Amino acid sequence: MLAAVRSNILPLFFVLLFGLSFTTDAYAQYLINLMLVYVVVAQGLNLILGFAGMFAFAHGAFMAIGAYVSALLMNKFGVSYLVAMPAAGLAAALVGCSIGIPAIRVSGLYLAMVTMGFSEIVQWILRNWKPVTSGTDGISVASPVFFGVELSDDFQTFYIILAVCAVMTALAQFIIRSRLGRAFVAIRDSEIAAQSSGINVARTKVLAFAISAFYAGVGGSLFSLTQHYINPDNFNLYQTIMQFCMVIVGGASSLIGPFIGATILTWLPELLRNAQAFQEIGFGLLLIVFVIFVPKGLAGLLIDKGILPREEYSSRVRGKWVVRKERAEGSERT
Amino acid sequence: MTQILKLEGLMVRFGGLTAVNGVSLTIASGEIRGLIGPNGAGKTTLFNAISGLAPASAGSVHLDGLEITSKSAPQRAALGIRRTFQTVQLVQSFTVYENLLFGLHTRAGNPLTRLIVGSYATPDADADAIIDEVLDYLGMRDLKHRVVDTLTIAHQRYVEIGRALVARPKLLMLDEPTAGLSPAQIERLDDLIGRLSSDWKVSILLVEHVIPLVVKLCSRITVLDRGRVIAEGTGAEIGQDAAVQKAYLGERLDA
Amino acid sequence: MEIATLLSVGVSNGCLYGLVGLGLVLVYNAQGIPNFAHGELFMASAFAAYTANILFGLSYALSMLVAIVFAFALGVVVEFLAIRPIAMNRSLGRASTEVAIVLSTVGLMIAIKGLARIPWGDSVRKLPAAFSTETISVGGLVLSTQRLLIIVVAFVLTIAISLFFSKTSLGKKMRATSQNTAGAMLVGINTGHIYSATWGLAAICGGVAGILAAPLIFLYPDMGTRMLLKGFAAACLGGFGSVGGVFVGGLVMGIVEIFFGRYLATSMMDIFAPIIIIVVLLFRPQGLFGSRSAVRV
Ligand SMILES: Nc1ncnc2c1ncn2[C@@H]1O[C@H](COP(=O)(O)OP(=O)(O)OP(=O)(O)O)[C@@H](O)[C@H]1O
Ligand SMILES: [Mg+2]
């Protein structure tokens, strides 16, 4: 029973949130929505930073692209949200590709600077391309309409956000258990071994960029739903750093990590009384403390302690637990 | 006997340093070729040039009659060149099974997923069969689901060999596989390498510091010094060779 | 004449960027990482000078000294608390260690910013200039004394640091460590001390820039990020290599930026640094002068 719970923690998490949504007040529901949005965004960052080991400093910018594309498509062209959201993801992925293709040529941590420069340029465009983005005034986001029903409050948009988050989680799990996911980890841990085993490193890195940006784009689109109004400040450096914090605190290169990280870091600012100074200090210190003392994050800690099962990197083996001693042979077929 | 590998005038330069300097070499199919030479002779760099990690400044590489000089490392891997590394290069957080899966990266998945995600499809069912076969051969079936960083260095070296074997390569290159092993472990590995070429129909290029081991395993040995081939022949011939003695003695005097 | 004035502003700005870039290069060469907290060292030192000068009423020169000591101490302390524990953790691979250190500098960046926000809030402040005479004129060219001070100090500091690396034993040890850490440890160099010294020196570079800039620009807790980008741009132009290269990189950055801002659009000034970073790293990673070194397999 307990083992079944621990092996299916993510589905249970979604069921729990669904149940909770009948009891929440408006503010709690808003925070739950925001948390799910951050789960999506953090999963995207985790794919590139945690799994593929590439230091991309641009996820606030990718998120901005998603948010603005979906909001502008709906506001200016009356496009349905069902189309606008995937379009937002694809737009971000496209930009991710076009920054990724040149950026992977730079070695190691120069990537961090190139991508940070890219974020600054996106910020600059958001602030200065006034006819489209309205500059620092920001733009308001129309409520999505599904089959004639307008989803105007957080209780209603919750269902969209929950569903998208679940789909994106399933996709992330599929990727990680596929060749692509293993290729991500392979290029992170040893590029030379990856190449000598037939992995095209450049292509894998560009894919990591594109997929990761896709998550950020979709997340940005969902984010615009929770905010009803977006401006460039939503997507500044602070946004990107908060996402780093989510991934590292939750557990880099873990599927569950982003859930833990997004949950903690969505509720923490509330405890820090929404004072910017204390949030910054809190997030900064959390990042430092985790990088030093808990480099695998909370998920890694729980897995190493045997509280959660080890996450598998193949689709044919399930539910193995971390075993630090000899183990009997045989794989469970699914 | 067909030639599996043919190098002609291969050069690798790093700035002003010529690490591999006009190496010509042929390896017959099924052969175990020893490659020895003092530290810094260019053995690893030659491996890198053959496997495509270090670009050749001049010269050519042929695999099984096909010119591959301009092919990338992953392309060469797909064509059947696999190798191990002087320092083990495994994904330490992966299990043995998962590490071997990534050796199968170039295998086609099922046609539909392959169409959508290219060569990144999930492994097909017989990947498991191949991996089990390799693990049985290496005597590591019981370690299949162990995370690699919990294994001994000896076992990690076996996993690296296994990762190469699952792809059924034409040429297997082993870069100092015995480094860091105990005498007993070396003996076991030595025995394995001796069987590999006939059991898996693979040619082997072996870099090794333990000379008696090379002499025992390899019918022919190539000696490299400062990027050049200074001798080639049987163990006995190499032992007599004045240039070889000078290279090794010189090294001892320097050290 | 306008061109000459622009040039003098560009050169003095460029000197500041060069100093900030120099601090980045020192840490990059020692530990292979871009220090994202470097802009905050700049900011914190500017505030330290402000505190000493305005709040404690110390003389300008004494305030500078206090702020420089403060910058050095801050550099050494953050290295000791937030960087060294990761660098010394041998269980991580080299690549993950570097990523972890960068993440730690990102944490520092935002934490220091938050700390500065508590006393200083979001309002902007200004420090009076070093000399009471506002401007001096050199052969018809009118230059503010503060800008002249910047140029002179940056020049002297850059040369002093060059000499430090080529002449002093600590400087030589620092160079040896950055070229071959394991080898340096083998010959008995205490790499911990070297890293402390590196971070302290880097912080002084950023700090001096902050102190010099304080009378010219407004002080506010977020001022570090923009400077960080400009410092990165200067370091990229200089190829992350020689001390002199960064200095020239900073000058190029400062001069080109001011002319772009003047003749294209003022808003262009903010985007100039990120563009330089991207273009240089993508197309000429060795910088304007250097040659690229091979990466070992
Ligand atoms: N990427 C590189 N850049 C510059 N020089 C290199 C590079 N790789 C190897 N070298 C140099 O090339 C020469 C040959 O090195 P290599 O590693 O191939 O020797 P080796 O025969 O494998 O030695 P060992 O027995 O120590 O493994 C050495 O002088 C080495 O310093
Ligand atoms: Mg070698």
Side-chain angles (χ1 to χ4, degrees), chain A residues 55 57 102-103 105-106 109-110 112-114 116-118 120-121 124 128 192 237-238 241 244 248 276-278 280-281 284-285 287-288 291-292, chain C residues 28 32-34 36 81 85-86 98 100 102-104 106-111 113-115 117-118 225 229 232 240 267 271 274 278 281-282 297:
Chain A
F55 203 109
F57 207 124
R105 296 184 2 185
V106 308
L109 290 161
Y110 283 138
M113 282 181 267
V114 169
M116 187 194 185
F118 163 77
E120 285 301 309
I121 292 175
W124 187 86
N128 289 287
I192 51 174
L237 210 61
Y238 177 73
I241 295 175
F244 277 136
I248 299 302
Q276 191 186 358
F278 290 107
E280 284 172 342
I281 297 169
L285 290 184
L287 195 52
I288 297 169
V291 161
I292 294 175
Chain C
Y28 191 90
I33 54 123
F36 281 92
L81 292 180
I86 307 169
E98 287 177 353
V102 180
L103 283 167
S104 195
V106 170
L108 281 172
M109 169 187 188
I110 190 164
K113 207 179 275 202
L115 276 172
R117 224 181 282 286
I118 295 177
T225 309
L229 281 163
F232 272 148
F240 276 90
S267 63
I271 202 179
I278 293 179
L281 287 183
L282 290 185
V297 175

Side-chain angles (χ1 to χ4, degrees), chain A residues 1-22:
Chain A
M1 170 61 196
L2 200 58
V5 168
R6 291 188 294 188
S7 313
N8 293 294
I9 208 110
L10 289 185
L12 286 172
F13 179 82
F14 284 113
V15 171
L16 180 76
L17 284 187
F18 184 78
L20 265 182
S21 72
F22 296 103

Side-chain angles (χ1 to χ4, degrees), chain B residues 14 17 19 37-46 86 175-176 209, chain C residues 294-297:
Chain B
F14 300 111
L17 178 96
N39 287 105
K43 305 177 296 288
T44 299
T45 308
L46 183 62
Q86 202 167 340
D175 196 350
E176 295 195 30
H209 270 306
Chain C
V295 184
R296 294 199 58 152
V297 175

